[in-house]
Amino acid sequence: MKRRALLLLLAATSGFSAAGDLPVRGIHFMAPRPAEVPAAVRLFSETLPRHGINVVVLEVNYNYRYSKRPEVAEPNGLSRDDAARLAAACRKAGIRLIPMINLLGHQSWAKNTHALLRSHPEFDETPGLYPGNEGIYCRSYCPRHPKVHEVVFDLIDELVEAFQADAFHAGMDEVFLIGEDACPRCRGRSKADLFAGEVRAVHAHLAKSGLQMWMWGDRLIDGETTGIGRWEASTDFTHQAIRQIPRDIVISDWHYEKPHPTAAWFAIEGFPVVSCPWRKPEVALGQLELMRAVRAGASKQVAARMLGMMQTTWGSFGNFLKAYNGEPDAPANMLEVVTCLRKLFPVTP
């Protein structure tokens, strides 16, 4: 406890770079709108380096003007020129930019079904069910549909090329609809096998181009045994997939209420891992303390897999800018995010 209190005190001082010595000092953003690209360029090239940030995971999803699959695009998406400008800004700042599409789950939000399932309803894991998305968290696509990967892989390839990236974040968090009885291809199958199969399929596709795969780690944690529960871990047995997937996938281990020591567990299991906080500085600094303790005290193999930290933002890019710039209409939860960011990655003098 004394060590934790000391770390919190040090992080509050302007001269202490809390996570500055770690290999990965990252931040996750939702993609900016086209009109916000100039502000994003300034943020990436001028502001983030002052925080010591060297990785940006940019969650684009379907907010890009895909030419290979134009039907799978939300209105007012980024252009290829927008992507090139953002990529150039990151290169200038020494930041690795990793584009992201949240695959498998998160194919809807509230009443809005996202572009993949709007344009290809045949891919839905629960076809014809849950009108208006009532009664579910988010829709999923069926990982066993014979045509789904033709579309998804085209999207990945185009996005990676546009951002000139050497890695891709596949998301895959909070997947609750998988192996459903409503799906003729998935009913009766092991949820762990289905989840692992999708992870392997995406990994194999990326590996053909020498691309590193990143993904969220929650579905690989046993929520019952750990007591973490169904949101930040799995209670429907997808966690058993961890023994069926490649060990070179970088796990984004997110926990927002407590600094659960799962990053060390992932590293022991053989995965490179980053710890991901959100709004609470005490959680972020607790994760950082665990990250540093394992890097200092574990075997060199395990220590090398503990890569660092990645701040998440979970709100629109525009609202992040408002909060960071101290604008009066900034949402309260985004102000908390900015406070957490500044504690985890203080601006260097």
Side-chain angles (χ1 to χ4, degrees):
M1 292 299 294
K2 290 182 179 178
R3 184 179 178 186
R4 179 75 54 82
L6 177 61
L7 188 60
L8 285 165
L9 176 63
L10 288 172
T13 67
S14 60
F16 178 72
S17 182
D21 58 336
L22 298 175
V24 171
R25 305 178 300 278
I27 188 167
H28 162 277
F29 288 118
M30 305 304 292
R33 297 181 179 183
E36 296 166 340
V37 167
V41 166
R42 289 193 296 273
L43 183 78
F44 293 173
S45 61
E46 299 172 12
T47 304
L48 295 187
R50 295 175 59 225
H51 288 277
I53 288 172
N54 62 4
V55 172
V56 166
V57 171
L58 196 65
E59 185 167 346
V60 179
N61 296 328
Y62 310 117
N63 296 302
Y64 181 79
R65 300 175 203 173
Y66 293 101
S67 61
K68 291 184 177 180
R69 301 287 178 170
E71 76 280 9
V72 187
E74 301 287 0
N76 196 33
L78 296 172
S79 68
R80 186 179 181 87
D81 181 63
D82 292 331
R85 292 174 66 192
L86 294 170
C90 285
R91 283 196 305 274
K92 176 183 176 182
I95 292 172
R96 185 186 191 193
L97 193 156
I98 302 173
M100 173 180 165
I101 302 173
N102 207 340
L103 300 179
L104 195 52
H106 277 282
Q107 300 305 313
S108 67
W109 186 253
K111 293 183 178 181
N112 179 44
T113 297
H114 298 323
L116 178 67
L117 294 187
R118 285 205 315 269
S119 59
H120 292 279
E122 69 275 16
F123 295 163
D124 200 327
E125 175 71 9
T126 51
L129 299 184
Y130 312 113
N133 300 330
E134 292 290 335
I136 59 172
Y137 176 58
C138 295
R139 291 190 178 275
S140 299
Y141 66 71
C142 169
R144 290 181 56 81
H145 192 284
K147 299 292 185 180
V148 70
H149 290 134
E150 294 179 15
V151 175
V152 168
F153 291 168
D154 277 350
L155 301 178
I156 292 173
D157 291 348
E158 185 167 353
L159 205 61
V160 166
E161 182 182 6
F163 283 95
Q164 303 165 47
D166 62 357
F168 174 78
H169 200 301
M172 302 180 75
D173 64 322
E174 298 177 332
V175 178
F176 296 118
L177 294 178
I178 186 170
E180 298 297 301
D181 289 341
C183 178
R185 293 166 296 274
C186 295
R187 70 165 64 103
R189 292 182 177 272
S190 158
K191 295 178 186 292
D193 290 349
L194 290 167
F195 189 82
E198 184 64 4
V199 173
R200 290 196 305 269
V202 175
H203 179 273
H205 179 74
L206 295 171
K208 292 177 183 176
S209 301
L211 297 167
Q212 186 182 54
M213 179 173 171
W214 291 44
M215 65 179 286
W216 303 116
D218 53 294
R219 296 306 94 190
L220 300 172
I221 301 169
D222 184 343
E224 296 286 354
T225 299
T226 62
I228 294 175
R230 71 187 294 263
W231 290 97
E232 296 187 10
S234 168
T235 57
D236 65 358
F237 305 107
T238 60
H239 64 276
Q240 296 171 355
I242 195 167
R243 302 304 168 90
Q244 304 178 48
I245 63 176
R247 291 298 196 270
D248 60 350
I249 298 170
V250 178
I251 302 297
S252 302
D253 182 41
W254 64 273
H255 296 293
Y256 301 153
E257 302 301 321
K258 294 181 179 180
H260 297 292
T262 45
W265 173 72
F266 277 117
I268 290 168
E269 287 287 331
F271 293 92
V273 60
V274 294
S275 290
C276 305
W278 181 28
R279 297 188 300 171
K280 296 185 176 182
E282 66 272 19
V283 174
L285 296 176
Q287 291 170 324
L288 174 60
E289 183 179 8
L290 289 166
M291 179 67 60
R292 279 211 174 110
V294 176
R295 284 177 59 83
S299 68
K300 64 179 182 180
Q301 291 88 346
V302 171
R305 298 183 195 115
M306 300 286 282
L307 299 183
M309 304 291 298
M310 183 170 74
Q311 172 75 50
T312 63
T313 56
W314 298 124
S316 73
F317 190 84
N319 280 339
F320 174 84
L321 289 177
K322 287 180 179 180
Y324 191 88
N325 294 327
E327 297 179 21
D329 59 341
N333 63 345
M334 196 60 84
L335 290 170
E336 292 174 329
V337 168
V338 170
T339 297
C340 188
L341 168 67
R342 286 174 168 151
K343 292 292 180 67
L344 181 63
F345 300 123
V347 171
T348 55

